[in-house]
Amino acid sequence: MMIKECLILAGGLGTRLRGVINDIPKPMAPISGKPFLEFLLRYLSSQGMERIVLSVGYLKEKIIEHFGSNFMGMEIVYSVEEEPLGTGGAILKARDLLGEAFFVLNGDTLFMIDLRELYEFYARKCADVVIALRKMEDCSRYGSVVIDQDGRIKGFIEKGKMGECLINGGVYVVSKGILDKVNFPVPFSWERDFLERYYEDFNIYGLLCEGYFIDIGTPEDYGRANDELPRLDIICL
């Protein structure tokens, strides 16, 4: 059965956007008067999500005050970082608020894929983690992911590679049980300290997905988001 709850990692500092946005968390960066996070939540509503866990830290009050406990009929609950835990630490802290399997999304990225397709792939492979992958024509800004014909992760390549590749789209299905199998440091990076380190030890897969993609992590892409997002159908939901 399709899972209907999702963890959004919304606790980052957004240092690369300093000077463009100030005094707000990066996921609250305004797009035509609406926070970026609202676009992400509207997309999740369109995918049938019913419960959202927001992992918050930096200026968390601005997120909590804006969204409260409900958005578009979805229950909103909060996992609060009192100190920075890293992306992995945030997932670890929030796990008790979630079921045995759940989606995880980065709060500064919108990748409008079919979440049911991603979950069905996860179930079919009996995976521990599935990463939504996106094909990029130019990977100089992104690290890339290598998979075999079955979709199993075979390696990660540092950013700077030129030409076409697959990148991590910032959307995952995660089995809660995997979080009990490693003695994680605190804080830790989900990508660097878990995925890149343990992909050979666990059932970690990638699925090539299609859909609109934007990462607002740089001023250039934040500007592009301001131009493109208001024209997407999700703003009218």
Side-chain angles (χ1 to χ4, degrees):
M1 184 174 65
M2 169 70 169
I3 51 179
K4 296 187 177 182
E5 59 181 0
C6 175
L7 170 64
I8 299 178
L9 304 177
L13 298 178
T15 53
R16 288 181 298 174
L17 288 182
R18 294 278 171 83
V20 179
I21 60 169
N22 296 290
D23 301 322
I24 56 173
K26 181 165 59 168
M28 296 297 286
I31 307 287
S32 292
K34 299 180 183 292
F36 177 80
L37 186 54
E38 185 169 318
F39 288 83
L40 185 54
L41 288 170
R42 286 176 178 273
Y43 154 69
L44 290 173
S45 175
S46 76
Q47 291 289 305
M49 292 299 104
E50 296 177 352
R51 187 169 183 271
I52 306 295
V53 177
L54 285 174
S55 175
V56 295
Y58 175 67
L59 296 176
K60 58 185 178 294
E61 297 82 5
K62 294 185 181 293
I63 296 177
I64 295 171
E65 290 172 4
H66 185 90
F67 291 103
S69 60
N70 185 283
F71 182 79
M72 295 186 71
M74 298 181 293
E75 179 189 8
I76 308 289
V77 297
Y78 298 90
S79 176
V80 178
E81 298 179 43
E82 299 301 337
E83 57 185 29
L85 299 175
T87 50
I91 295 171
L92 200 61
K93 180 176 177 59
R95 64 179 173 174
D96 291 339
L97 298 172
L98 294 151
E100 293 305 309
F102 51 91
F103 293 105
V104 177
L105 277 70
N106 290 333
D108 59 358
T109 303
L110 177 60
F111 190 13
M112 295 177 61
I113 66 170
D114 183 341
L115 291 180
R116 181 177 295 276
E117 179 185 8
L118 191 70
Y119 176 73
E120 289 176 349
F121 181 82
Y122 161 88
R124 190 164 64 249
K125 297 297 183 182
C126 297
D128 295 310
V129 177
V130 170
I131 308 169
L133 304 177
R134 184 178 190 271
K135 184 179 290 186
M136 295 288 284
E137 299 298 326
D138 177 13
C139 284
S140 57
R141 178 186 156 189
Y142 299 93
S144 57
V145 183
V146 180
I147 57 175
D148 65 15
Q149 290 184 339
D150 195 42
R152 188 156 190 152
I153 301 293
K154 302 301 291 183
F156 293 85
I157 300 173
E158 292 287 332
K159 65 181 178 180
K161 175 186 175 182
M162 304 300 290
E164 183 180 275
C165 70
L166 301 178
I167 69 164
N168 181 341
V171 181
Y172 311 90
V173 185
V174 177
S175 168
K176 183 189 289 188
I178 195 66
L179 300 173
D180 297 320
K181 296 181 179 180
V182 176
N183 184 20
F184 293 108
V186 178
F188 77 96
S189 162
W190 175 247
E191 297 85 357
R192 183 182 63 252
D193 298 322
F194 177 65
L195 295 177
E196 294 181 18
R197 185 173 178 182
Y198 291 103
Y199 68 87
E200 293 180 304
D201 300 313
F202 300 110
N203 294 323
I204 301 179
Y205 286 80
L207 177 67
L208 178 60
C209 298
E210 295 184 356
Y212 176 80
F213 177 85
I214 190 76
D215 172 356
I216 64 166
T218 67
E220 178 183 10
D221 283 338
Y222 174 55
R224 185 163 66 88
N226 269 282
D227 179 56
E228 295 175 355
L229 288 185
R231 292 186 271 130
L232 295 180
D233 290 341
I234 54 171
I235 194 60
C236 299
L237 292 174

